[in-house]
């Protein structure tokens, strides 16, 4: 079982950049599918990016493709999300999570949700 603690959020101007970090613990980090999710004001939680074991294969939501980059460092049990060209619509609380592949449901976040880290994009 993996526990996650997110950090790096804050207030940034439109067009600016932020780097989010997530520290994890557990015995299966190396083999985990890791994802960043976000929940904007009045919106449902949505998948932002996903990175698979080995770090070569990644997936991004269309809304962030070309602007965000997900990474992982298995030796340090961390995952990062570099966020560039930020837009006001990126304002949200961001969460990192381990995903499981569940038959009939696809990739589903596993375990409880942490507090996340808040990103506010405004001038």
């Amino acid at each position: 079982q993996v526990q996650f603690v997110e950090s790096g959020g804050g207030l940034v101007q439109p067009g600016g950049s932020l780097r989010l970090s997530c520290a994890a613990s557990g015995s299966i980090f190396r083999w985990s599918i890791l994802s960043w999710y976000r929940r904007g004001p009045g919106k449902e939680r949505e998948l932002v990016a996903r990175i698979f074991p080995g770090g070569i294969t990644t997936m991004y939501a269309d809304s962030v493709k070309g602007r965000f980059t997900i990474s992982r460092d298995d030796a340090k049990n961390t995952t990062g999300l570099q966020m560039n060209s930020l837009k006001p619509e990126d304002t949200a609380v961001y969460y990192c999570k381990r995903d499981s592949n569940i038959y009939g449901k696809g990739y589903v976040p596993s375990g409880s949700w942490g507090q996340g880290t808040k990103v506010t994009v405004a001038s």
Side-chain angles (χ1 to χ4, degrees), residues 36-83:
W36 284 92
Y37 293 80
R38 69 184 181 187
R39 184 179 63 199
K43 298 181 181 297
E44 297 293 323
R45 188 179 287 113
E46 64 177 348
L47 175 68
V48 176
R50 176 175 288 141
I51 187 166
F52 290 83
I56 297 174
T57 303
T58 58
M59 296 181 179
Y60 297 92
D62 288 341
S63 59
V64 308
K65 192 173 298 182
R67 299 188 296 119
F68 291 9
T69 303
I70 188 172
S71 62
R72 66 190 295 160
D73 185 344
D74 292 345
K76 301 296 184 183
N77 276 17
T78 60
T79 180
L81 186 69
Q82 179 65 47
M83 310 164 67

Side-chain angles (χ1 to χ4, degrees), residues 99-117:
D99 289 343
S100 297
N101 193 348
I102 306 298
Y103 179 78
K105 299 185 72 69
Y107 296 104
V108 177
S110 300
S112 61
W113 294 90
Q115 292 186 346
T117 185

